[in-house]
Amino acid sequence: MTTTRDTRPVELRRTGFGPAPDAEALRAEPGVVRVPTPFGPSAWLLTRHADVRRMLGDAEVFRNGWTPADLADGPRRDPRQLSGDRSGNLLSLDPPDHTRLRRLLTPEFTVRRMRRLEPRIVEIVDDHLDAVERHGEPADLVSLFALPVPSLVICELLGVPPSDQDEFQARTARQLDMTLSEADRTALAAEALAYMQDLVARARRAPGEDLIGMLIREHSGAMTDAELVGIANLLLVAGHETTSNMLALGTLALLRHPDQLAVVRDDPGAVPPAVEELLRWISIVNSGSPRLAASDVEIGGSRIRAGDLVLFNLPAANRDPAVTDDPDRFDVTRRATNHVAFGHGIHH
């Protein structure tokens, strides 16, 4: 029997629901280690919970808004695969641009405004659960539920009209197909960008009650069209694949732990802590954008120099025995932990 060696960068490797053994081994070593990267220079890799939180919590020292020319080893290919400029993409911005946009965007995600969407979200979920039931056994949870539900919710959030939603969903699903060639994925990204530009142009003419419409109505002169397009694209990219994967893998985790499933199924009050435990235990996002050290700094006992790249592994950090008892055990009744499934700091 032969096994296939995992050639992906160590910060992207997984074993089942958890981190890869080599990421866990690095977490147990003293200090911080450097790892090779596929895009040029080596980088420091953080795997311990305390180190990851400290780095993500210091946006002044560990910068997001860098270019390849800022690297200590000289210009290299940018690994972040950002199309066009970074306008509106909060994940790639540093203060003060990040601060300004987040201040404008945060009121759109208040509990009151999200509750206005709740009846429509419940309707979307119910419709797709009914579709799964009508399909009969066996049913593909991913195609019938996990992929379309977040896509339709994002359509509601962004104000995608019903006449466009089928095409929007089909394009979004194809963008998540990792079997497509890079050229095909680039072309789909360009199509999505063009659609978002048209969506913003229509909202400028007649702003609705959706997120883009409210931003235009309440902050018309404070945000450019490019920033509105960037925000829309960010919500699509960051909100669709992650939610789809969480719905599917969260269901699989519960099915593989029937005792935990019974707790959640029989007690609605058990759902909130179960969601937090699923976020911690699965850590659906392996990592985030590489950070660039803006000055010399010591972290985890190692000296990181200005111009060095820093990577991080969230699954390893979320299963760090230094902060969670028996971290590999899936327990929906676990007391809430300071997990970093959503990151930490200003980009949380």
Side-chain angles (χ1 to χ4, degrees):
M1 178 179 176
T2 60
T3 57
T4 302
R5 188 171 70 89
D6 193 339
T7 58
R8 292 173 299 173
V10 64
E11 74 274 9
L12 299 181
R13 296 177 197 166
R14 304 283 302 234
T15 298
F17 290 104
D22 39 8
E24 292 188 298
L26 291 176
R27 187 184 61 206
E29 291 185 10
V32 182
V33 301
R34 296 190 78 139
V35 296
T37 70
F39 47 84
S42 62
W44 298 93
L45 176 62
L46 308 183
T47 53
R48 286 187 287 272
H49 186 272
D51 294 343
V52 170
R53 275 179 62 92
R54 185 193 162 193
M55 185 273 292
L56 292 177
D58 191 345
E60 289 188 12
V61 173
F62 298 100
R63 291 174 45 210
N64 234 348
W66 55 272
T67 70
D70 295 321
L71 300 180
D73 293 340
R76 295 291 193 279
R77 179 170 65 88
D78 193 326
R80 292 166 295 180
Q81 299 178 344
L82 296 172
S83 57
D85 62 32
R86 299 176 190 169
S87 299
N89 188 335
L90 275 75
L91 293 182
S92 67
L93 295 176
D94 292 321
D97 288 335
H98 177 277
T99 307
R100 175 180 62 85
L101 287 177
R102 182 158 182 162
R103 186 179 295 123
L104 296 175
L105 192 59
T106 297
E108 307 306 326
F109 287 93
T110 60
V111 171
R112 177 176 57 85
R113 287 193 171 173
M114 289 300 101
R115 279 183 176 158
R116 291 197 315 191
L117 269 178
E118 186 174 357
R120 178 59 182 142
I121 294 172
V122 170
E123 183 180 8
I124 290 170
V125 170
D126 286 347
D127 287 347
H128 285 77
L129 287 175
D130 290 344
V132 172
E133 186 175 32
R134 286 195 303 270
H135 186 279
E137 298 181 5
D140 184 343
L141 182 71
V142 173
S143 63
L144 292 174
F145 188 86
L147 281 174
V149 166
S151 181
L152 284 171
V153 171
I154 291 171
C155 283
E156 297 291 328
L157 189 64
L158 297 180
V160 175
S163 59
D164 293 352
Q165 289 184 5
D166 286 347
E167 182 181 357
F168 183 93
Q169 283 198 88
R171 181 172 52 246
T172 302
R174 290 195 68 213
Q175 282 182 270
L176 302 181
D177 184 352
M178 302 306 292
T179 65
L180 293 179
S181 68
E182 184 173 350
D184 286 341
R185 288 169 62 81
T186 300
L188 285 167
E191 288 179 21
L193 180 62
Y195 180 81
M196 293 300 187
Q197 290 169 335
D198 181 63
L199 191 69
V200 167
R202 283 185 273 172
R204 282 284 188 195
R205 294 191 295 270
E209 294 301 315
D210 53 88
L211 175 71
I212 302 299
M214 286 191 287
L215 286 172
I216 289 172
R217 207 165 36 249
E218 297 177 15
H219 309 290
S220 179
M223 303 184 76
T224 66
D225 283 1
E227 287 173 336
L228 289 167
V229 168
I231 288 170
N233 264 329
L234 174 63
L235 289 172
L236 174 61
V237 173
H240 186 230
E241 184 176 14
T242 52
T243 310
S244 296
N245 289 342
M246 197 68 206
L247 288 170
L249 291 176
T251 301
L252 180 60
L254 289 167
L255 289 171
R256 288 186 174 177
H257 296 82
D259 57 327
Q260 303 297 300
L261 173 59
V263 172
V264 177
R265 185 186 58 229
D266 298 339
D267 179 10
V271 171
V275 169
E276 297 301 324
E277 174 68 349
L278 282 164
L279 287 165
R280 180 200 72 84
W281 195 71
I282 297 177
S283 298
I284 207 73
V285 176
N286 273 35
S287 187
S289 298
R291 304 303 204 264
L292 183 84
S295 58
D296 291 358
V297 62
E298 184 173 306
I299 192 165
S302 296
R303 190 73 171 170
I304 296 174
R305 302 291 181 185
D308 286 350
L309 279 181
V310 181
L311 305 172
F312 51 100
N313 184 279
L314 297 177
N318 275 335
R319 295 203 187 191
D320 188 341
V323 293
T324 305
D325 293 334
D326 196 7
D328 292 327
R329 178 171 55 87
F330 177 47
D331 179 5
V332 298
T333 66
R334 188 187 298 273
R335 187 172 58 86
T337 62
N338 290 323
H339 68 71
V340 287
F342 289 125
H344 180 64
I346 66 170
H347 293 97
H348 175 269

